[in-house]
Amino acid sequence: GDSVTQMEGPVTLSEEAFLTINCTYTATGYPSLFWYVQYPGEGLQLLLKATKADDKGSNKGFEATYRKETTSFHLEKGSVQVSDSAVYFCALTPEGGSEKLVFGKGTKLTVNP
Amino acid sequence: DAEITQSPRHKITETGRQVTLACHQTWNHNNMFWYRQDLGHGLRLIHYSYGVQDTNKGEVSDGYSVSRSNTEDLPLTLESAASSQTSVYFCASSETAGGMETQYFGPGTRLLVL
């Protein structure tokens, strides 16, 4: 079945450091790919998405590129802030119109001042 | 502004009791979902609905049920609560768009089964 694998956390960085969170997926065809973020005590919210190969999603300084050849959707940010501390989830919806999200297990990021 | 709300936000119950968690959305979305979040497992889909009178089982549906009598609400019922159902529960909704649309999440319900 479809699945998403994220790098294990937790990840701890200093402010202004470069961030990469790896995400790879297993799915047939061309799924849609998402990054959701969960701030402490809150529900998830969409950070960015890409719906076809080679698309780049971006938001709030975060970027991720849909790489079909490596089945990856790695999240990057050039300079993290303390306010970016959260849990990040990579997810997909399968090709074919299913609205169901398949989530990775999440990566907790802590940014220290 | 449109929103998705869950109630209660916190609940403590005893094993064997029936519990219902409420989810209400004002987005007028067709699709609604229930997830549970547990350490080490991420979010797992419990039940989902693509419209009124439509319900479907997700990955971890045993011991849970839902009903969809209108567009706005999808209550989740634990028929006989078990300690293994202690978790944080999230409701979400989305528009129908071939899987490309954003899901909007509620704030969550933290359930403790003693």
Side-chain angles (χ1 to χ4, degrees):
Chain A
D2 301 323
S3 65
V4 174
T5 302
Q6 295 181 230
M7 62 185 286
E8 296 282 332
V11 174
T12 303
L13 296 173
S14 298
E15 208 165 22
E16 300 183 2
F18 184 85
L19 169 71
T20 299
I21 301 177
N22 290 335
C23 171
T24 57
Y25 68 88
T26 301
T28 55
Y30 292 82
S32 294
L33 302 175
F34 303 81
W35 277 101
Y36 281 82
V37 59
Q38 183 180 31
Y39 297 104
E42 298 183 9
L44 281 71
Q45 55 186 273
L46 180 72
L47 181 59
L48 53 84
K49 67 180 180 183
T51 58
K52 58 182 188 287
D54 300 323
D55 268 2
K56 178 186 284 188
S58 61
N59 186 26
K60 299 182 180 179
F62 290 89
E63 293 183 340
T65 301
Y66 189 143
R67 301 286 188 200
K68 175 64 173 172
E69 62 275 16
T70 54
T71 62
S72 65
F73 193 54
H74 304 321
L75 182 68
E76 296 182 337
K77 186 175 186 183
S79 176
V80 295
Q81 305 300 312
V82 172
S83 58
D84 293 326
S85 298
V87 181
Y88 293 81
F89 292 92
C90 187
L92 67 82
T93 52
E95 185 182 34
S98 170
E99 308 290 343
K100 295 185 293 179
L101 280 166
V102 176
F103 284 94
K105 293 184 178 182
T107 303
K108 183 176 182 180
L109 170 67
T110 300
V111 180
N112 294 317
Chain B
D1 286 347
E3 61 179 355
I4 180 165
T5 57
Q6 295 183 234
S7 61
R9 294 294 311 279
H10 299 89
K11 175 77 175 178
I12 301 174
T13 192
E14 297 176 342
T15 55
R17 290 192 180 268
Q18 185 180 79
V19 176
T20 296
L21 308 183
C23 175
H24 179 79
Q25 54 101 358
T26 59
W27 294 95
N28 199 36
H29 285 159
N30 291 328
N31 310 317
M32 295 185 73
F33 308 85
W34 274 104
Y35 299 90
R36 59 178 289 174
Q37 183 178 26
D38 304 289
L39 204 60
H41 290 280
L43 274 83
R44 292 181 290 175
L45 184 63
I46 304 171
H47 281 286
Y48 59 102
S49 168
Y50 286 155
V52 176
Q53 302 301 330
D54 175 75
T55 60
N56 305 280
K57 294 181 179 181
E59 179 187 357
V60 290
S61 60
D62 287 350
Y64 303 93
S65 64
V66 294
S67 62
R68 186 94 180 269
S69 58
N70 59 50
T71 300
E72 296 81 14
D73 299 291
L74 187 71
L76 177 71
T77 297
L78 287 67
E79 303 292 345
S80 177
S83 58
S84 60
Q85 295 176 308
T86 292
S87 187
V88 182
Y89 291 86
F90 288 99
C91 181
S93 71
S94 71
E95 193 48 85
T96 298
M100 294 184 284
E101 195 49 73
T102 301
Q103 284 192 17
Y104 294 87
F105 284 78
T109 294
R110 188 173 294 273
L111 177 67
L112 175 61
V113 183
L114 298 175

